[in-house]
Amino acid sequence: MSGTRLLSGDLRAAGEDYLQRIGQADEFGAVDLVVGLLAEGVPAERLLLELIAPAQRRVGELWAANRWSVAREHGATAVSERAVAAIAARVRPEPTLGRVTVACTDGEYHALPTRLLAEVLRLRGWRVDFLGANVPGPHLITHLHQTGPDAVALGCALATRLPRAHATLTACQAVGVPVLAGGSGFGADGRFARLLGADAWAATADAAADHLAGGLPSFPVAPQVLAHLADEEYTHLRRRRGELLGSAMSTLAGAYPPMAAYTAHQLDTTAEDLGHILDFLAAALYVDDVEVFTGFVTWTRGVLQARGVPARALEAGLRIFHDELRDFPRARRTLLRGIEAAHDRGADLET
């Protein structure tokens, strides 16, 4: 496959080859492939955004469909990180623009998309400090004081991290550094970046680079005041998380006798799944958006069904939390919508 063909067409054929190699945890094969394409004249940015990024999205889909194990998914991601590093080591333009700090928000461990952004910005001429996954807000602020960047690019892949992202971007702005938000956690259209007061949002790494090149334009409308938080449902739900988990596990054990035969791993997995329900419920309360929760429930139902787990197991957990949270009207309404999303025929329920 010639570089001319790749430059004029797309990277689909190479992408299939690359996916196969990372799926086999073939680090040398994947690195050889991207280095070879670089040598043939394929631009580094295209390799990052049109080869590696789509392959990683496919990795997530294969895991969700239960076609790849967690181990295989982790191995593929590790190999992609090595491929990105190989590209960065061979294409090293001198920085001609300003300085940007790129980091994942506190609690966010999906670092590869943010790493891709960092490399695209370097290719475009920025000096980049890439801080990686799970950067605590106070430590990020210390770094800003020490380095004085022109902007922060903050990545958030999961909506459950939005409260921490909000605190982080507010702290960055307080020390005079604008924030460019990115990642699916901020919503497919960036609605939560706007709601939480980010200076700008970008759906892709190249769009983010374009934003920075244009001077990081602000959103045209001032951020909204989160008046819905005055009911303190979010705060109390977070405080009661452990209590609610314990109660839900006890209720399930009584309602489903087979749980008595669960292994320790199965019990841990059940508790983890219930914890995810509470965390996404809290995120939905924080941004006052039911779709944050129903989207998670719909996705979870698909993942469970791919693994042979009936949808009623998910619905049971939702109903338990609905019954427990008697003094949480917003949470109960949100859970009812979640039950509808989890149920085979939908549910006609009243609060």
Side-chain angles (χ1 to χ4, degrees):
M1 185 176 295
S2 70
T4 301
R5 179 180 171 188
L6 283 167
L7 286 167
S8 60
D10 59 40
L11 294 173
R12 259 180 308 192
E16 289 299 320
D17 190 4
Y18 179 79
L19 180 63
Q20 182 178 12
R21 296 186 191 201
I22 65 174
Q24 297 170 346
D26 181 3
E27 178 179 323
F28 294 133
V31 169
D32 287 347
L33 175 60
V34 297
V35 170
L37 293 172
L38 272 176
E40 291 182 15
V42 182
E45 185 171 322
R46 286 199 65 199
L47 292 175
L48 294 170
L49 301 184
E50 297 178 38
L51 181 78
I52 296 175
Q56 283 303 125
R57 285 193 292 272
R58 184 63 181 146
V59 167
E61 293 167 357
L62 289 166
W63 171 83
N66 201 29
R67 293 173 59 187
W68 281 20
S69 68
V70 171
R72 191 174 185 186
E73 179 264 330
H74 284 186
T77 301
V79 172
S80 281
E81 290 171 347
R82 294 291 297 140
V84 173
I87 293 172
R90 287 163 175 80
V91 185
R92 302 170 63 179
E94 289 294 323
T96 57
L97 302 175
R99 186 171 191 164
V100 180
T101 296
V102 178
C104 295
T105 196
D106 191 1
E108 180 57 71
Y109 289 91
H110 295 81
L112 186 55
T114 312
R115 174 70 188 278
L116 290 171
L117 168 62
E119 297 309 327
V120 168
L121 293 178
R122 285 193 180 114
L123 292 171
R124 297 283 188 97
W126 292 90
R127 180 179 177 184
V128 177
D129 299 326
F130 175 62
L131 306 186
N134 186 33
V135 181
H139 294 269
L140 175 58
I141 300 306
T142 298
H143 178 81
L144 301 185
H145 282 298
Q146 293 171 341
T147 59
D150 298 285
V152 170
L154 188 66
C156 179
L158 294 177
T160 53
R161 313 306 183 200
L162 285 174
R164 295 185 185 183
H166 188 194
T168 297
L169 69 86
T170 300
C172 292
Q173 292 166 334
V175 297
V177 183
V179 178
L180 171 64
S184 56
F186 286 108
D189 57 359
R191 71 181 71 178
F192 304 129
R194 180 179 288 104
L195 175 71
L196 301 181
D199 294 279
W201 168 83
T204 61
D206 50 346
D210 292 341
H211 263 301
L212 288 171
L216 196 67
S218 297
F219 283 123
V221 180
Q224 302 175 35
V225 176
L226 305 185
H228 55 272
L229 293 179
D231 63 15
E232 297 190 335
E233 285 199 29
Y234 166 79
T235 301
H236 290 300
L237 180 65
R238 296 303 302 170
R239 288 176 180 169
R240 290 185 57 189
R241 185 181 188 276
E243 170 198 338
L244 289 166
L245 273 180
S247 177
M249 289 294 288
S250 297
T251 302
L252 282 175
Y256 298 95
M259 279 190 70
Y262 274 20
T263 65
H265 175 70
Q266 287 174 319
L267 289 171
D268 287 345
T269 300
T270 301
E272 184 177 0
D273 290 342
L274 291 170
H276 289 322
I277 290 174
L278 288 176
D279 292 341
F280 273 91
L281 176 60
L285 293 176
Y286 192 85
V287 297
D288 198 28
D289 193 308
V290 173
E291 291 182 7
V292 168
F293 190 68
T294 56
F296 158 74
V297 171
T298 300
W299 177 84
T300 300
R301 179 182 174 182
V303 170
L304 293 177
Q305 286 181 330
R307 287 153 177 78
V309 179
R312 65 177 179 272
L314 173 61
E315 187 178 341
L318 296 170
R319 289 184 182 278
I320 288 170
F321 289 134
H322 176 268
D323 294 342
E324 285 282 340
L325 295 169
R326 296 180 184 86
D327 299 324
F328 291 67
R330 273 204 303 136
R332 284 168 66 88
R333 288 194 296 270
T334 302
L335 283 161
L336 286 174
R337 291 285 299 276
I339 291 168
E340 292 174 0
H343 195 53
D344 286 334
R345 299 179 306 277
D348 184 16
L349 301 168
E350 296 181 359
T351 52

